[in-house]
Amino acid sequence: MYPNGRLQRFDSQKNAAIELGISGIGINAVLKKRQKTHKGYRFEYNSDKLVAEWHV
């Protein structure tokens, strides 16, 4: 969906899950460091925004 290295910012995990079409549980697992990526995305918080990075 996004080229390697592209970042996208979201207000919440719910909005990220809806817009990216993936599960919120997977996003949470990445944020809690249980897994490195979910469906090709890495997630982290930067300031108050959730940042999704497409990583292949």
Side-chain angles (χ1 to χ4, degrees), residues 3-48:
N4 190 18
R6 284 288 304 258
L7 300 177
Q8 188 163 2
R9 290 172 170 54
F10 298 97
D11 292 330
S12 69
Q13 289 182 39
K14 181 180 177 182
N15 290 345
I18 291 169
E19 193 165 327
L20 297 174
I22 60 178
S23 108
I25 294 168
I27 294 172
N28 202 33
V30 173
L31 291 171
K32 291 186 175 190
K33 309 287 189 224
R34 288 192 296 252
Q35 61 193 53
K36 290 186 177 197
T37 63
H38 180 63
K39 304 278 185 177
Y41 292 95
R42 288 186 181 173
F43 298 94
E44 65 181 31
Y45 275 99
N46 186 353
S47 299
D48 61 342

